[in-house]
Amino acid sequence: MHLSEITHPNQLHGLSVRQLQAIAQQIRDKHLQTVAATGGHLGPGLGVVELTLGLYQTLDLDQDKVIWDVGHQAYPHKLITGRYQDFHTLRQKDGVAGYLKRCENKFDHFGAGHASTSISAGLGMAMARDAKGEKFKVVSIIGDGALTGGMALEAINHAGHMPKTNLLVVLNDNEMSISPNVGAIPRYLNKMRLSPPIQFFSGNIEEQFKNIPFVGESLSPELARIKEGMKRLAVPKVGAVFEELGFTYMGPVDGHNLEELITTFQQAHQITGPVLVHVATTKGKGYEIAEKDQVGYHAQTPFNPTTGKAIPSTKPKPPAYAKVFAHTLVKLAEQNPKIIGITAAMATGTGLDKLQQKLPNQYIDVGIAEQHAVTLSAGLACEGMRPVVAIYSTFLQRAFDQIIHDVCIQNLPVFFCLDRAGIVGADGPTHQGMYDIAYLRCIPNMVLMAPKDEAELQRMIVTGVDYTSGPIAMRFPRGSGYGVPLMEEGWEPLEIGKGEILRHGDDVLLVAYGTMVNSAMQTAEVLNEHGIQATVVNARFAKPLDTELILPLAKKIGRVVTLEEGCVMGGFGTAVAEALLDADVVVPVKRIGIPDILVDHAEPDQSKVELGLTSSQIAESVMTAFFKPQLSVVS
């Protein structure tokens, strides 16, 4: 059987180990060819090919449920669940998603983009199954990196308290998340990887005891206790923790040995209660280049699979915002030993790996634990340090309560740096940075700012580090800047809550925030071609808003347009509209941003076209709103 013929995972049933090995190689070939062409996540999926095939051969996927953590490790799952023919569209507009989506395929039993969710979701499904008297199996697959997330540990704590609820947790342990894992739990798992596999005693041990002359029958009341004690002797010392938490522990199992995997999973399905199967895998397995560079080949832009080298861009790009952020922060940290960079397992993505290399004592990686990262930073701030918390906009959502309770209520000077704010492209709805303006703007004591370009980013980093009156947050986008001149040092901080006028015009006021400032300037040019003169304001700050600048202009010009690369509901435009209403400046306002929809995976420029966020589309919206017969006060 060829991989292309598999449209249902139950077709794996009855195949020999040799046949499964052939399919495993085909999966790796297809995975590698596709990601080399489209870009995407490579190492995670290559590492779980045998795990996927071995597990699925022991399940009936018409009934049983498999919940994957994160989702980018589930590319082999996608290839055997009817998406082979469309796999070349991976992460492209209207194509196969890079993560799991319930609406994409009936075998995607739970959506997965953020880490540490699978055990909680799986336990919920198992409890629902039992409540309804149904009999299907539930399997939660979680990576060792995701196990550092508090939510996973909360779920383990709960599941271990339910000895009659059947739930299989598969721990995919490759010693990595994106970068090498940190902390006590990964160190503990590493000891377990080096331990011999646990051999569970078969049911015939009971018969062996019963056959002891004059003794066997008298042992019956104590037999269960004896079996439990002997089993515990077989569990390596380091594996006993999961046993104490209420799980039956099995492993470590060679994650690339199909025969061993199938046997282990079959045994696990026979055990009552929660079971944890510890599977040791190699990230990037089967592609030597990815095995040697597991960080670099976690995900890749299009590359040559023979050499592993990225396909060069047709034209040089300005430095990425993340690179400028990292370079500037390192320069400041060299001069100020109180600056501490904090990341939640995203050192390379945020650029903090540069700080780690240069100033390791001023760098902290907490693992996939955003809540802990925020409260840790609050503790550092209490003692006079200058914590700089670099977390993607989409991931900072996970620490919302800590931002309020531990930072803002206590008014602690923590500097939040939100990378990948706005439209992020191929990662889709789980990763779009749409909501940070709205979810941070409503919190007392928080200051919000966003740069119009990479040079202003440098000044805002200085502003954030220097600001000690309370918490402050800066959002910036994924990808390259505009190529504006940068400084190596001597950056001047910005005055809190002060914007700037970039262009004067009497017909309409364009108030833009962050990445939309450049779009506003382009929109003004388009409007100019139609005889409409626009004033363009770079707001710089969403909170506090520069009302001293904006309100008189709005009153004078009489038409206001706000532009933001974030959700319109509760966002920057709402802040401007509220300020106008509070000041009794009643003028028509047009808010332009992300409407109340989920933005699917596509190239950012494609998404902007669909959302009406190109400069020509914005200009058309402005003319329709204000310079054609029908007007709307607030839209």
Side-chain angles (χ1 to χ4, degrees):
M1 177 178 287
H2 190 272
L3 176 62
S4 60
E5 301 174 58
I6 299 176
T7 57
H8 192 300
N10 284 1
Q11 291 175 260
L12 298 172
H13 294 176
L15 297 184
S16 67
V17 169
R18 179 170 292 184
Q19 288 174 307
L20 291 173
Q21 288 170 338
I23 291 172
Q25 186 57 53
Q26 293 165 29
I27 289 174
R28 286 196 168 92
D29 291 344
K30 182 68 171 178
H31 188 347
L32 179 60
Q33 293 164 7
T34 301
V35 174
T38 67
H41 294 93
L42 183 64
L46 292 177
V48 297
V49 175
E50 288 82 9
L51 186 160
T52 306
L53 295 175
L55 176 65
Y56 284 20
Q57 203 188 51
T58 69
L59 297 172
D60 177 2
L61 268 297
D62 279 328
Q63 302 179 61
D64 301 332
K65 311 290 185 186
V66 178
I67 302 95
W68 289 85
D69 218 86
V70 181
H72 58 51
Q73 62 180 330
Y75 289 179
H77 157 85
K78 293 197 174 208
L79 284 168
I80 57 174
T81 51
R83 285 167 276 190
Y84 176 90
Q85 300 299 339
D86 295 325
F87 200 64
H88 65 282
T89 68
L90 182 69
R91 291 163 53 89
Q92 298 175 50
K93 186 177 183 296
D94 301 323
V96 174
Y99 293 89
L100 296 186
K101 300 174 68 176
R102 280 168 56 87
C103 62
E104 181 177 284
N105 187 276
K106 67 178 182 179
F107 297 112
D108 290 1
H109 296 120
F110 197 77
H114 293 182
S116 311
T117 62
S118 63
I119 304 177
S120 296
L123 181 58
M125 291 181 185
M127 293 172 69
R129 171 202 63 202
D130 295 350
K132 295 188 293 182
E134 297 175 342
K135 298 296 183 184
F136 59 84
K137 300 180 180 71
V138 178
V139 183
S140 295
I141 302 171
I142 188 165
D144 53 325
L147 200 63
T148 63
M151 187 174 171
L153 302 178
E154 292 169 17
I156 288 173
N157 178 65
H158 187 188
H161 188 61
M162 308 189 70
K164 295 183 179 179
T165 300
N166 292 343
L167 172 68
L168 174 57
V169 175
V170 178
L171 173 58
N172 170 33
D173 178 8
N174 60 20
E175 302 180 278
M176 301 283 290
S177 48
I178 294 176
S179 301
N181 288 323
V182 297
I185 291 174
R187 186 172 65 244
Y188 168 80
L189 292 177
N190 189 51
K191 290 181 181 178
M192 296 170 75
R193 287 171 69 99
L194 301 176
S195 301
I198 295 170
Q199 302 299 322
F200 284 96
F201 294 97
S202 63
N204 65 13
I205 187 173
E206 189 167 343
E207 294 301 318
Q208 295 172 22
F209 270 103
K210 286 181 178 179
N211 290 332
I212 300 175
F214 309 109
V215 175
E217 292 302 322
S218 65
L219 271 174
S220 292
E222 301 295 324
L223 200 52
R225 195 176 304 168
I226 292 171
K227 288 172 66 177
E228 180 63 27
M230 293 185 70
K231 186 180 79 169
R232 196 164 297 284
L233 287 174
V235 178
K237 181 180 178 181
V238 291
V241 169
F242 287 109
E243 294 271 328
E244 292 295 338
L245 289 171
F247 278 73
T248 298
Y249 172 86
M250 302 177 71
V253 181
D254 182 351
H256 305 293
N257 184 322
L258 275 163
E259 192 168 6
E260 186 178 350
L261 285 165
I262 292 169
T263 300
T264 303
F265 290 137
Q266 287 173 336
Q267 292 174 351
H269 295 320
Q270 303 305 313
I271 298 171
T272 300
V275 179
L276 187 140
V277 174
H278 182 182
V279 181
T281 62
T282 300
K283 190 173 182 178
K285 180 71 174 179
Y287 183 46
E288 186 178 359
I289 296 172
E291 288 187 41
K292 290 181 177 178
D293 183 5
Q294 296 183 342
V295 176
Y297 287 83
H298 170 81
Q300 271 285 351
T301 56
F303 64 97
N304 183 325
T306 303
T307 64
K309 301 291 185 183
I311 297 173
S313 175
T314 54
K315 57 182 180 180
K317 292 182 178 180
Y321 275 90
K323 185 175 181 180
V324 175
F325 165 74
H327 178 75
T328 308
L329 184 64
V330 169
K331 287 281 188 180
L332 294 173
E334 286 176 330
Q335 302 165 19
N336 185 353
K338 290 186 176 181
I339 292 175
I340 305 291
I342 302 167
T343 182
M346 300 295 288
T348 54
T350 60
L352 285 191
D353 57 328
K354 305 297 186 296
L355 181 66
Q356 179 189 25
Q357 294 163 11
K358 199 73 179 284
L359 301 166
N361 292 333
Q362 292 174 248
Y363 164 87
I364 300 172
D365 183 352
V366 301
I368 303 177
E370 291 84 2
Q371 293 170 299
H372 168 57
V374 171
T375 304
L376 174 75
S377 70
L380 288 165
C382 282
E383 299 305 310
M385 305 304 284
R386 300 297 301 120
V388 179
V389 184
I391 297 177
Y392 292 1
S393 169
T394 182
F395 295 138
L396 192 62
Q397 295 162 185
R398 296 159 65 95
F400 185 60
D401 179 63
Q402 286 69 29
I403 296 170
I404 297 174
H405 184 273
D406 300 330
V407 176
C408 290
I409 287 178
Q410 302 186 99
N411 202 29
L412 293 170
V414 175
F415 182 20
F416 295 98
C417 297
L418 284 67
D419 193 355
R420 308 202 181 187
I423 299 169
V424 299
D427 285 335
T430 58
H431 284 59
Q432 305 285 12
M434 301 301 182
Y435 312 111
D436 57 271
I437 304 171
Y439 73 68
L440 292 176
R441 191 176 73 84
C442 63
I443 311 173
N445 292 326
M446 179 67 78
V447 172
L448 302 182
M449 57 185 177
K452 70 177 185 292
D453 56 37
E454 60 270 42
E456 195 163 78
L457 171 75
Q458 293 185 304
R459 294 189 66 187
M460 285 190 177
I461 296 169
V462 177
T463 305
V465 169
D466 287 355
Y467 185 73
T468 58
S469 298
I472 185 168
M474 172 186 67
R475 75 181 327 240
F476 57 95
R478 182 179 191 174
S480 300
Y482 297 104
V484 300
L486 299 173
M487 296 173 61
E488 278 297 306
E489 56 187 1
W491 308 285
E492 292 291 330
L494 297 167
E495 185 177 353
I496 299 296
K498 293 299 178 182
E500 62 174 347
I501 298 176
L502 300 178
R503 179 181 179 129
H504 290 274
D506 294 329
D507 298 321
V508 63
L509 172 63
L510 306 181
V511 186
Y513 187 56
T515 55
M516 295 302 285
V517 173
N518 185 59
S519 298
M521 292 295 286
Q522 293 175 349
T523 298
E525 288 295 333
V526 176
L527 292 172
N528 183 56
E529 294 172 4
H530 291 81
I532 300 169
Q533 302 302 315
T535 290
V536 177
V537 169
N538 168 23
R540 285 178 170 160
F541 293 85
K543 184 183 180 184
L545 200 63
D546 191 350
T547 53
E548 291 182 3
L549 175 65
I550 295 170
L551 296 183
L553 288 171
K555 194 171 184 178
K556 174 187 174 185
I557 297 171
R559 304 178 186 93
V560 178
V561 178
T562 64
L563 299 94
E564 63 193 298
E565 195 174 321
C567 65
V568 170
M569 295 181 69
F572 172 73
T574 302
V576 174
E578 289 169 352
L580 292 169
L581 289 171
D582 289 346
D584 294 323
V585 178
V586 183
V587 296
V589 177
K590 175 71 176 175
R591 296 175 301 154
I592 293 175
I594 311 298
D596 188 24
I597 61 172
L598 295 172
V599 179
D600 218 335
H601 58 281
E603 290 295 320
D605 288 343
Q606 293 174 319
S607 295
K608 288 177 181 178
V609 170
E610 284 204 346
L611 295 166
L613 295 182
T614 67
S615 56
S616 59
Q617 290 171 315
I618 295 170
E620 179 62 31
S621 295
V622 171
M623 288 187 287
T624 299
F626 297 131
F627 301 99
K628 292 180 181 179
Q630 190 173 358
L631 294 181
S632 175
V633 176
V634 177
S635 64

